[in-house]
Amino acid sequence: MHDLISDTAKRIKQLEIQGARNVAIAAITSVKEAVTQSKAKTKTGFLNELLEAKELLFASRATEPLMRNAVRYVIQAVESSNKTDVQELAVVVSQVTSQFLERLEQSKEKIAAIGSKRISNNSRVLTHCHSSTVTNMLRKAKLDGKTFEVVCTESRPVFQGRLTAKEMLDSNIKTTMIVDSAVRLFMNEIDLVVVGADAITSEGNVINKIGTSMVALAAKEARTPFYVVSELLKFDPATVLGDYEKIEERSSKEVWESPPSGLIIRNPAFDVTRREFIHGIICEEGVVSPDSISELINRKYPWIFAT
Ligand code: RUB
């Protein structure tokens, strides 16, 4: 069990699997597969293995509440199950994992249908980094017959913008790539900005790829609407209790492989965009104000608050 989980955690850490959704999907899928190899004899032993898996997966990337919520959802189901047989508990894990993945997929499609309506004909849409939720929404808009083009940033230092560009071209969407620092120059030609999210806090702030807050700043100054496209389950319940979402700091080697000695390099993976810069969050419940996020979560996903 341990090997499968640590292999997944390693692939997540190395960005072989990137983007909050893909990370969460890989994490719970690995738990589902790993429990079939469980060596536990009792429910307590089974739960201990799950807690070990949780530790390894949570440590792979710091800013991934969707993954944490997904793994917690599976563990909660085992804890509250009246089954005691390990094989039966593995079936419980398999069932709740499938259920979670199915709902995640449904949310993605709902978001795409809602967001597609916000894309106007003959418009230019800017996005930053690579969000599978955003690219799915843009693909849906194209399928709905909208005519628009996409501008995507490189998203240094790891160039996730290239993934976005390839996906857009595969969908026959006219696409332009710009360097991250050209965002302000192009902003006056942009009709709409859409970005994904890694985390949403209790105050309605959004954490996404480093540079997102500068894109939001440029959008606000140019009066260009800035939307976040995200499942509600990226909400971090710990922020309600006063914790700050941790910002993952990655290896300096991603920025400069062999820098001159003595140089300090900082490489945070994400930054915080405050709610006043966000026109709306396009989620499975519709286009909502960042101010109403906590209330929505309370109503739709109350289990998220159980520790
Ligand atoms: C990816 C990133 C994405 C969000 C949302 O960063 O910031 O915008 O994760 O993606 P990284 P999705 O490449 O460092 O993981 O919509 O696919 O969940």
Side-chain angles (χ1 to χ4, degrees):
M1 173 155 175
H2 189 278
D3 285 355
L4 222 161
I5 300 288
S6 41
D7 179 58
T8 305
K10 196 166 139 209
R11 288 170 56 220
I12 291 173
K13 201 183 180 94
Q14 292 172 345
L15 295 186
E16 261 173 63
I17 302 162
Q18 68 74 232
R21 271 181 68 86
N22 292 335
V23 165
I25 291 170
I28 52 168
T29 305
S30 72
V31 171
K32 175 179 154 179
E33 282 166 21
V35 293
T36 61
Q37 303 168 6
S38 169
K39 299 214 173 7
K41 302 269 179 286
T42 60
K43 182 170 179 176
T44 311
F46 189 80
L47 269 168
N48 283 340
E49 283 183 353
L50 280 179
L51 294 176
E52 220 177 283
K54 174 178 126 174
E55 294 300 317
L56 277 169
L57 290 166
F58 283 18
S60 63
R61 291 197 80 183
T63 322
E64 299 298 350
L66 179 62
M67 165 174 65
R68 297 199 291 269
N69 290 332
V71 173
R72 275 199 215 104
Y73 184 76
V74 174
I75 295 179
Q76 274 178 31
V78 173
E79 281 168 345
S80 60
S81 166
N82 53 19
K83 309 244 183 309
T84 48
D85 176 74
V86 167
Q87 269 169 7
E88 285 184 328
L89 288 169
V91 173
V92 170
V93 169
S94 171
Q95 283 166 345
V96 290
T97 302
S98 305
Q99 194 185 72
F100 191 94
L101 293 175
E102 218 169 276
R103 292 197 188 142
L104 205 58
E105 188 58 29
Q106 285 165 2
S107 295
K108 182 169 107 175
E109 293 316 321
K110 272 194 206 162
I111 291 170
I114 296 163
S116 163
K117 296 192 205 154
R118 290 281 158 133
I119 313 282
S120 313
N121 275 323
N122 306 316
S123 66
R124 203 173 275 142
V125 181
L126 182 136
T127 190
H128 182 54
C129 193
H130 173 263
S131 152
S132 59
T133 324
V134 166
T135 54
N136 188 57
M137 185 195 94
L138 294 171
R139 258 193 304 272
K140 171 79 169 97
K142 176 77 180 177
L143 286 174
D144 289 345
K146 298 285 177 67
T147 52
F148 61 99
E149 53 183 278
V150 168
V151 174
C152 59
T153 56
E154 280 185 307
S155 312
R156 272 193 58 84
V158 195
F159 301 108
Q160 289 93 333
R162 292 177 185 176
L163 280 175
T164 304
K166 282 184 194 155
E167 282 188 30
M168 295 296 91
L169 292 177
D170 285 348
S171 302
N172 293 320
I173 297 170
K174 183 177 171 191
T175 304
T176 305
M177 175 167 283
I178 58 171
V179 297
D180 300 338
S181 44
V183 163
R184 181 62 193 95
L185 185 69
F186 282 90
M187 193 54 86
N188 291 343
E189 299 168 18
I190 301 293
D191 301 290
L192 179 73
V193 178
V194 282
V195 296
D198 283 88
I200 305 174
T201 74
S202 60
E203 291 161 280
N205 301 329
V206 167
I207 295 166
N208 190 52
K209 179 53 54 197
I210 190 77
T212 301
S213 66
M214 286 205 313
V215 176
L217 196 64
K220 185 163 184 156
E221 199 244 344
R223 293 179 180 253
T224 306
F226 177 98
Y227 284 89
V228 172
V229 183
S230 169
E231 292 86 358
L232 288 171
L233 282 174
K234 288 176 179 168
F235 183 84
D236 183 356
T239 57
V240 178
L241 301 173
D243 288 322
Y244 283 108
E245 183 69 36
K246 271 209 192 78
I247 303 284
E248 175 191 356
E249 180 109 17
R250 297 186 59 82
S251 163
S252 62
K253 299 275 177 225
E254 287 181 350
V255 178
W256 197 347
E257 182 78 43
S258 316
S261 74
L263 180 67
I264 298 163
I265 296 177
R266 299 287 310 272
N267 185 21
F270 305 106
D271 66 15
V272 183
T273 301
R274 288 198 52 81
R275 64 170 182 262
E276 55 265 33
F277 291 87
I278 302 169
H279 276 63
I281 298 183
I282 303 175
C283 65
E284 63 271 36
E285 289 290 280
V287 184
V288 303
S289 155
D291 298 308
S292 62
I293 281 294
S294 279
E295 197 189 309
L296 259 181
I297 298 283
N298 251 322
R299 182 152 53 78
K300 196 154 161 72
Y301 303 109
W303 58 266
I304 213 178
F305 296 101
T307 46

